[in-house]
Amino acid sequence: MEFEFISVDYPTSPGVYLMKDSTSLIIYVGKARNLRKRLASYFRSVQKHTPKTKILVSKIASIDILVTATEKEALLLEASLIKKHRPRYNVVLRDDKQYVLFQLDKRSEYPRLRLTRKVVRDGSVYFGPYTSSFFARETWKILGKVFQLRKCSDSAFKNRVRPCLYYDIGQCLGPCVNFVPRVQYMELVKKVEMLLSGKAGDLITDLRHEMEKASLELAYEQAAKVRDQITAISKTIEKQAVVLNDRADIDVIALAESSRGIGLGLLFIRQGRLLDKKDFFWPGLSLEDGDEILHSFISQFYSSTKFIPPKILVPFEFDMYSASEILTERSKSVVRISTPQTSEEKRLLDIARKNASIGAKEKSNEDILDILAAKLNLPAPPQRIECIDASHLGGEGMRVGMVVYEQGKPEKSQYRAYTFPELEHSSDDYAALYHWVLKRIESGAPWADLILIDGGKGQLSSVEKAFSENWQDSAPIPALASIAKGPTRKAGELEDRIFTPGRKNHLPLKGGSPALLYLQRLRDEAHRFVIGKQRKSRKKKALQSEVLSLPGIGPKTARLLWDQYGSVQKMKGATAEELSKVPGIGKVRAKQIYNSFKDLE
């Protein structure tokens, strides 16, 4: 039975309406400044509605309303009802997880820097967000090594009577036992806050003056500590591209349409640096639904437990005033939503739009592979891509990591790490890549349609030479390309360079273009994979060299100890009684292991 709309049945006040189907299931939740006028719009000029709205109207069997005092109350109520009922025809944010933030507790006498996923209005200062928890943890580790702030929880800090392991390894100043004056400790806190708030340039300038002063005063140990701090800061910021000169905190939102739906690109810019990005996709929608998408996304994404920047850029105007009111209330500070006003802001919106476009095309099967085929001049879209990265540590542990993408998606079961004992103590990436080709040919099909090499023209030439000299299969040699860092040689740069065989200059791929962003993603995944393999290898080597060499400890016992303690340092610190409690190790062996560790010391 078709629903009959009678306008006089509804008030002209603000509120929320709940549309239900014939089974009384809520299929859509909306808010309105004037309920009667808004609901009437659904049943007038139906032929002008978007496809989604036409289907929605055809499914309506009844409409319930909830009257509110103000439009802001209606907006808040609408967001909570969408989150609760997740109606079929609403724009529902599926990925509503909390991203990683740095938290600096300024209320504490000795603040600590920690990772969190929730904002609590307790006086702490927050920095972020990071969509990659791996990158956030790596940054935290780098900072922890040279800015020796405490790592322990407040309860552990208050009850500690002797310094912890972090103090012993030089990563904490020991404020728990008053080993450092508060003034000196707060100087480190100030440096960390400057770095994370985007004032890295000013901080490096100050540190260089401090280092030069220490050198002139012959305080070389202090100068070396400051030098290490400068190095850590450089490592932290090198992956962040500078996109704004005014050091602003801004989120940038843009929309892009594909054949099967609409994508949303989101950039997180902190203190003028592009910190991270994220994209979303909703099938079946078009740019005609843009108002609803922006309104729903902003009200759902920026919860009270997330960091909300003071400014959010959007591609076009919608009901921004009400949304700004809600976000201001949630963040406890003024939040402004606006369209781009300057050339810089328009450029940022364009980058966000390109991210939204590539995300939409990937998720809607309007494949980026077609774009790659056109940009790299391939005979067909590359269904299988292998990306390789050669890595070593000072000539040791030479490895080539290979990640595999099939039909645009990672196939982690086919990731491989290749070792080359014959190249140990060599830092020759070219030789490693040549030898990788030999091993790859030996392993056989399936062959890649495209092999992407992390490196420049030299690395590309080495792989090309190896294939031309050793390829004997009837299938054609895989297409080759390499990706090198751009003009500044910094990781995370938008304008990386793509080289192909037989071409003198790099391909004209613009920074932020879908093809380049996709290739950068593959390169980053290969780098992450091979570095992870190296770390595991070094841990295993350390275990073998320090533990397996001791009398009475074989591989099985070493594994039991490693699972229990996680590091050789903790094994050495265990008593004989504690060792005897490790499953599989009795009292006699525990005593023998304990004595072996003492002899080692």
Side-chain angles (χ1 to χ4, degrees):
M1 181 177 175
E2 188 175 338
F3 177 75
E4 183 180 359
F5 176 76
I6 302 174
S7 63
V8 294
D9 290 345
Y10 301 95
T12 57
S13 56
V16 173
Y17 52 92
L18 297 87
M19 295 175 168
K20 298 180 179 180
D21 64 9
S22 57
T23 64
S24 295
L25 178 70
I26 296 173
I27 57 175
Y28 188 80
V29 174
K31 67 94 182 172
R33 182 180 303 162
N34 182 321
L35 282 169
R36 182 185 298 178
K37 186 176 180 181
R38 179 74 183 99
L39 289 172
S41 68
Y42 284 97
F43 301 94
R44 295 198 193 106
S45 304
V46 177
Q47 67 277 7
K48 294 182 180 180
H49 288 337
T50 65
K52 187 204 80 168
T53 305
K54 288 179 182 177
I55 297 172
L56 168 64
V57 171
S58 69
K59 300 285 185 182
I60 297 173
S62 63
I63 300 176
D64 292 343
I65 61 168
L66 295 167
V67 176
T68 60
T70 64
E71 188 182 2
K72 187 174 84 170
E73 287 181 11
L75 186 62
L76 286 169
L77 181 58
E78 179 201 33
S80 64
L81 289 173
I82 290 174
K83 186 175 182 180
K84 178 181 178 180
H85 297 290
R86 305 182 78 82
R88 179 178 179 182
Y89 293 100
N90 276 102
V91 174
V92 179
L93 188 59
R94 307 291 177 184
D95 179 14
D96 57 354
K97 69 180 181 181
Q98 305 291 330
Y99 298 129
V100 180
L101 297 157
F102 282 107
Q103 180 190 27
L104 192 61
D105 184 4
K106 298 293 290 291
R107 301 172 307 161
S108 173
E109 185 179 5
Y110 291 95
R112 70 165 173 151
L113 183 69
R114 61 187 288 262
L115 296 175
T116 183
R117 290 183 182 271
K118 188 175 289 188
V119 173
V120 180
R121 311 297 173 184
D122 60 356
S124 296
V125 182
Y126 294 88
F127 308 95
Y130 297 84
T131 59
S132 168
S133 58
F134 170 79
F135 175 72
R137 282 195 302 271
E138 289 303 299
T139 302
W140 183 82
K141 289 177 184 176
I142 291 172
L143 295 178
K145 288 178 181 178
V146 288
F147 298 103
Q148 305 99 322
L149 305 185
R150 68 179 175 97
K151 316 295 191 293
C152 56
S153 64
D154 291 340
S155 58
F157 178 74
K158 292 175 183 177
N159 297 296
R160 197 176 292 284
V161 294
R162 60 189 180 91
C164 65
L165 179 62
Y166 281 112
Y167 175 80
D168 294 331
I169 62 176
Q171 293 188 24
C172 180
L173 294 175
C176 55
V177 288
N178 298 316
F179 281 178
V180 57
R182 186 173 184 274
V183 174
Q184 182 182 340
Y185 187 90
M186 292 307 293
E187 279 296 317
L188 277 185
V189 172
K190 180 182 176 183
K191 290 176 181 177
V192 171
E193 192 171 1
M194 283 181 70
L195 170 60
L196 293 177
S197 63
K199 299 176 183 176
D202 296 341
L203 178 56
I204 288 176
T205 300
D206 292 346
L207 289 175
R208 282 184 177 145
H209 291 157
E210 186 179 333
M211 182 174 66
E212 290 168 2
K213 181 181 177 184
S215 298
L216 291 173
E217 294 173 355
L218 305 183
Y220 296 120
E221 186 175 343
Q222 174 63 21
K225 287 182 180 178
V226 178
R227 177 204 61 202
D228 291 342
Q229 291 175 357
I230 294 172
T231 302
I233 293 168
S234 300
K235 285 184 179 179
T236 303
I237 65 173
E238 69 176 1
K239 295 181 180 179
Q240 302 170 5
V242 178
V243 291
L244 278 178
N245 294 322
D246 60 359
R247 295 182 174 180
D249 288 349
I250 301 178
D251 280 3
V252 185
I253 300 173
L255 301 176
E257 190 175 10
S258 75
S259 61
R260 286 191 56 230
I262 196 161
L264 182 147
L266 175 61
L267 303 181
F268 303 110
I269 296 164
R270 299 296 176 263
Q271 292 296 306
R273 291 183 174 271
L274 178 55
L275 186 68
D276 216 331
K277 60 183 185 297
K278 183 70 178 173
D279 58 77
F280 302 83
F281 179 73
W282 293 277
L285 300 182
S286 67
L287 285 175
E288 293 176 298
D289 303 295
D291 278 24
E292 183 192 348
I293 292 168
L294 288 179
H295 155 74
S296 295
F297 176 82
I298 288 174
S299 63
Q300 293 176 61
F301 183 81
Y302 293 105
S303 64
S304 58
T305 57
K306 279 186 176 171
F307 175 81
I308 305 176
K311 186 173 183 178
I312 299 173
L313 282 181
V314 292
F316 47 78
E317 292 187 359
F318 64 107
D319 185 11
M320 298 186 292
Y321 179 76
S322 297
S324 295
E325 272 194 304
I326 296 298
L327 298 193
T328 296
E329 185 174 294
R330 289 176 181 174
S331 70
K332 310 298 182 186
S333 59
V334 177
V335 177
R336 187 162 64 93
I337 302 174
S338 69
T339 54
Q341 302 299 316
T342 67
S343 58
E344 276 188 324
E345 291 180 348
K346 290 176 182 177
R347 181 171 57 85
L348 290 177
L349 192 72
D350 189 49
I351 294 173
R353 187 181 296 112
K354 288 173 180 175
N355 276 279
S357 178
I358 189 171
K361 287 177 180 177
E362 285 176 354
K363 291 169 183 172
S364 67
N365 293 328
E366 190 175 291
D367 223 329
I368 183 63
L369 305 182
D370 294 322
I371 299 175
L372 281 181
K375 296 295 184 182
L376 301 182
N377 197 27
L378 304 177
Q383 299 304 311
R384 179 184 173 94
I385 303 175
E386 296 173 1
C387 183
I388 58 174
D389 181 16
S391 182
H392 61 87
L393 184 66
E396 294 186 1
M398 177 64 79
R399 275 173 171 69
V400 172
M402 180 184 81
V403 300
V404 178
Y405 277 56
E406 290 194 342
Q407 296 182 344
K409 298 179 181 178
E411 287 292 336
K412 296 193 175 182
S413 63
Q414 298 188 45
Y415 286 17
R416 297 289 184 271
Y418 297 81
T419 58
F420 306 94
E422 67 274 21
L423 298 177
E424 199 63 26
H425 306 298
S426 164
S427 57
D428 192 345
D429 288 359
Y430 298 163
L433 292 170
Y434 189 99
H435 282 70
W436 172 81
V437 173
L438 301 182
K439 289 192 174 186
R440 180 63 188 88
I441 291 175
E442 185 180 347
S443 64
W447 303 116
D449 299 308
L450 171 66
I451 295 176
L452 179 67
I453 305 125
D454 183 7
K457 295 172 68 175
Q459 285 83 354
L460 176 64
S461 297
S462 182
V463 172
E464 182 185 16
K465 180 182 178 184
F467 270 112
S468 63
E469 293 177 354
N470 299 280
W471 185 260
Q472 296 179 351
D473 198 278
S474 58
I477 293 176
L480 303 176
S482 68
I483 178 169
K485 293 184 180 67
T488 66
R489 303 293 300 163
K490 289 184 178 180
E493 184 173 35
L494 294 176
E495 297 184 2
D496 285 344
R497 306 302 196 213
I498 305 298
F499 296 94
T500 54
R503 184 185 176 96
K504 183 178 179 180
N505 299 319
H506 60 83
L507 293 175
L509 297 183
K510 292 183 179 180
S513 66
L516 186 55
L517 287 170
Y518 187 76
L519 294 176
Q520 287 170 331
R521 184 183 305 175
L522 266 65
R523 185 268 315 280
D524 293 344
E525 175 70 356
H527 184 70
R528 180 202 64 79
F529 175 69
V530 73
I531 292 298
K533 288 295 183 182
Q534 275 192 333
R535 285 178 181 151
K536 287 183 180 179
S537 174
R538 290 200 293 273
K539 282 184 179 179
K540 184 177 179 182
K541 196 172 182 180
L543 174 68
Q544 290 173 339
S545 61
E546 285 204 66
V547 180
L548 292 178
S549 61
L550 300 177
I553 300 182
K556 184 177 179 181
T557 304
R559 175 49 56 193
L560 292 173
L561 291 170
W562 189 260
D563 291 342
Q564 179 70 22
Y565 294 103
S567 72
V568 177
Q569 191 68 31
K570 289 182 179 179
M571 294 179 201
K572 291 178 180 179
T575 64
E577 183 181 355
E578 289 171 339
L579 289 168
S580 68
K581 294 179 182 179
V582 177
I585 297 178
K587 290 186 177 181
V588 175
R589 186 182 291 180
K591 186 66 177 176
Q592 185 181 14
I593 294 170
Y594 177 78
N595 291 333
S596 294
F597 279 128
K598 289 301 176 186
D599 292 341
L600 182 64
E601 291 179 356

